[in-house]
C-alpha cells in the first residue's frame, strides 16, 4: 500500500522526455523527473522513492531523501514566515509548511525547531511543533533493555525529555547523563522501564541497565536472607554499600529506587524493608 510522505518501492512503467512514470497502482502514474532519476534506469526496474506534492500540489516521486518523513520527528530550520504559516527546510525543493495552528510558539525565520511531520485532513504533508498533540497516542510496547533511538526535546529539573522512536515521550534522568546534551541531539538509548502510567524511563548505557537489573535481584535476595530488613538506605556511606554489594552508591540508589517504585520495598530512616507480596 502506498504512503504519502514515506519511502515506497515502485516499478518504472514508461519513459518520457522529461522523466519516468512509475506505476502508482490505484494512485495512477507518478512522475519521477529526470534530474532525480538514477543513471541507467529502465522500464520494469523497481525503485525506492519518496512521494510528496510539488509546488502545484501534484503527486511526484523523488530519489532524494528528506530530513524528515511522515510519522517522524526532526530538528528543522525555518527559512520563511508567511501569511499561511512558517516554512522549514526539509531537504527538498519545495519547503515544508508549519501552519499557524500547529505552532506551539510563533516560529521565527533562521531558528530551528523540533517538529513532527504528518498528513493533515487536506492531504497535505505538514509539520507541527505541538509535539504533545501527536506523540504518545499509542500504548508503549517496550521491554526493559530494548534499544531505541531518541531525540532530545528539552532539559528539565530531573534530566531530559526525549522522543522515543518518533512515537513516544521518555525521560532520561540527570544521574544517567555524563555529557552535555542539546535539543535535537539524536542518540541510542535503552528502555529502563515503562511505568504503570505509560511513562518511559530511559538509560544511555546498556551496561548500566544490566547492572541495575542484577543489583535489584541481589538486594531482594539479601533482604530475604536477613528477615526482610537491611540497614542500608540511599543516605548510607558509600563504603558501607560497597562492603555489602561491591557497587557504587549511585548504582545502589538506582536499584532501590526501582524496587521502591515497584512497591517491593519501603525505605525508612533505619534501612529498607521488604514488602510482603
Amino acid at each position: 500500500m502506498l504512503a504519502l510522505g514515506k519511502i515506497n518501492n515502485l516499478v518504472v512503467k514508461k519513459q518520457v522526455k522529461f522523466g519516468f512514470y512509475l506505476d502508482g497502482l490505484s494512485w495512477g502514474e507518478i512522475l519521477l523527473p529526470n534530474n532525480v532519476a538514477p543513471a541507467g534506469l529502465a522500464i520494469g526496474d523497481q525503485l525506492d522513492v519518496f512521494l510528496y506534492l510539488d509546488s502545484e500540489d501534484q503527486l511526484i516521486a523523488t530519489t532524494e531523501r528528506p530530513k524528515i518523513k511522515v510519522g517522524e520527528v526532526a530538528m528543522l530550520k525555518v527559512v520563511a514566515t508567511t501569511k499561511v504559516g512558517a516554512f522549514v527546510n526539509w531537504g527538498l525543493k519545495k519547503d515544508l509548511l508549519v501552519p499557524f495552528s500547529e505552532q506551539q510558539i510563533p516560529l521565527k525565520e533562521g531558528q530551528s525547531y523540533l517538529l513532527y511531520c504528518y498528513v493533515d485532513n487536506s492531504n497535505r504533508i505538514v509539520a507541527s511543533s505541538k509535539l504533545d498533540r501527536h506523540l504518545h497516542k499509542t500504548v508503549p510496547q517496550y521491554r526493559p533493555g530494548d534499544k531505541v533511538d531518541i531525540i532530545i526535546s528539552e532539559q528539565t529539573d530531573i534530566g531530559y525529555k526525549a522522543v522515543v522512536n518518533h512515537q513516544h515521550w521518555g525521560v532520561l534522568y540527570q544521574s544517567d547523563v555524563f555529557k552535555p546534551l542539546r535539543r535535537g541531539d539524536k542518540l541510542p538509548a535503552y528502555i529502563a522501564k515503562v511505568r504503570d502510567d505509560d511513562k518511559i524511563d530511559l538509560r544511555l548505557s546498556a551496561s548500566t541497565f544490566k547492572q541495575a537489573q542484577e543489583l535489584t535481584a541481589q538486594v531482594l535476595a539479601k533482604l530475604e536472607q536477613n528477615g526482610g530488613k537491611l540497614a542500608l538506605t540511599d543516605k548510607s556511606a558509600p563504603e558501607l554499600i560497597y562492603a555489602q554489594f561491591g557497587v557504587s552508591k549511585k548504582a545502589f540508589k538506582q536499584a532501590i529506587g526501582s524496587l521502591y517504585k515497584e512497591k517491593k520495598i519501603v525505605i525508612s530512616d533505619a534501612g529498607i524493608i521488604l514488602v510482603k507480596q
Side-chain angles (χ1 to χ4, degrees):
M1 184 175 180
L2 301 187
L4 185 63
K6 296 188 178 183
I7 304 297
N8 298 262
N9 186 265
L10 302 181
V11 176
V12 178
K13 190 173 183 180
K14 65 182 179 182
Q15 184 175 5
V16 293
K17 183 177 180 180
F18 45 85
F20 296 83
Y21 278 106
L22 309 179
D23 186 0
L25 304 175
S26 62
W27 289 15
E29 296 178 342
I30 302 172
L31 176 65
L32 176 73
N34 277 326
N35 65 333
V36 291
L41 189 64
I43 295 173
D45 287 351
Q46 288 187 318
L47 192 65
D48 287 332
V49 293
F50 179 77
L51 299 183
Y52 71 110
L53 303 179
D54 65 13
S55 57
E56 298 180 355
D57 288 334
Q58 297 296 313
L59 185 62
I60 195 166
T62 181
T63 54
E64 296 176 316
R65 295 296 181 258
K67 299 176 182 178
I68 191 172
K69 298 188 290 292
V70 166
E72 293 183 351
V73 173
M75 197 81 168
L76 301 176
K77 187 175 182 179
V78 177
V79 294
T81 55
T82 71
K83 61 182 180 180
V84 298
F87 285 89
V88 295
N89 176 11
W90 63 327
L92 299 181
K93 185 176 181 180
K94 179 187 177 184
D95 296 320
L96 181 63
L97 173 66
V98 185
F100 286 118
S101 61
E102 290 293 337
Q103 297 180 26
Q104 188 71 36
I105 58 173
L107 305 192
K108 297 180 179 180
E109 186 174 339
Q111 299 294 313
S112 295
Y113 300 88
L114 199 61
L115 304 172
Y116 178 86
C117 184
Y118 70 103
V119 177
D120 71 4
N121 292 332
S122 301
N123 208 38
R124 300 178 304 173
I125 304 173
V126 296
S128 172
S129 63
K130 294 184 176 181
L131 300 188
D132 285 335
R133 178 178 290 181
H134 301 282
L135 299 179
H136 229 92
K137 298 303 181 184
T138 59
V139 176
Q141 301 292 328
Y142 305 108
R143 295 178 298 178
D146 283 353
K147 187 176 181 180
V148 293
D149 294 314
I150 67 171
I151 302 174
I152 300 300
S153 171
E154 60 187 293
Q155 189 168 10
T156 69
D157 292 339
I158 60 174
Y160 294 88
K161 190 176 181 180
V163 178
V164 181
N165 284 355
H166 300 283
Q167 301 178 59
H168 299 102
W169 283 119
V171 175
L172 187 61
Y173 292 97
Q174 189 65 54
S175 58
D176 288 317
V177 179
F178 305 102
K179 61 180 180 180
L181 296 175
R182 298 179 300 175
R183 185 177 176 87
D185 282 352
K186 299 179 181 179
L187 59 160
Y190 297 85
I191 301 296
K193 183 181 180 182
V194 178
R195 290 183 267 167
D196 293 338
D197 58 3
D198 289 338
K199 293 182 178 178
I200 301 170
D201 291 342
L202 300 165
R203 287 194 175 95
L204 289 183
S205 170
S207 59
T208 301
F209 165 76
K210 291 175 182 176
Q211 182 187 46
Q213 190 179 46
E214 292 170 358
L215 185 54
T216 54
Q218 293 173 18
V219 171
L220 288 174
K222 183 71 73 173
L223 282 166
E224 291 174 354
Q225 292 171 10
N226 292 352
K229 296 181 180 180
L230 192 59
L232 289 175
T233 71
D234 54 359
K235 296 180 176 62
S236 297
E239 296 80 9
L240 293 175
I241 294 171
Y242 189 83
Q244 284 269 16
F245 295 102
V247 298
S248 68
K249 182 173 180 177
K250 177 184 174 183
F252 179 74
K253 288 175 66 173
Q254 290 175 339
I256 65 171
S258 177
L259 290 171
Y260 178 78
K261 290 177 183 177
E262 294 172 3
K263 299 181 180 180
K264 292 183 178 179
I265 64 169
V266 293
I267 303 174
S268 69
D269 292 338
I272 56 178
I273 302 169
L274 184 65
V275 174
K276 294 181 179 180
Q277 302 296 320

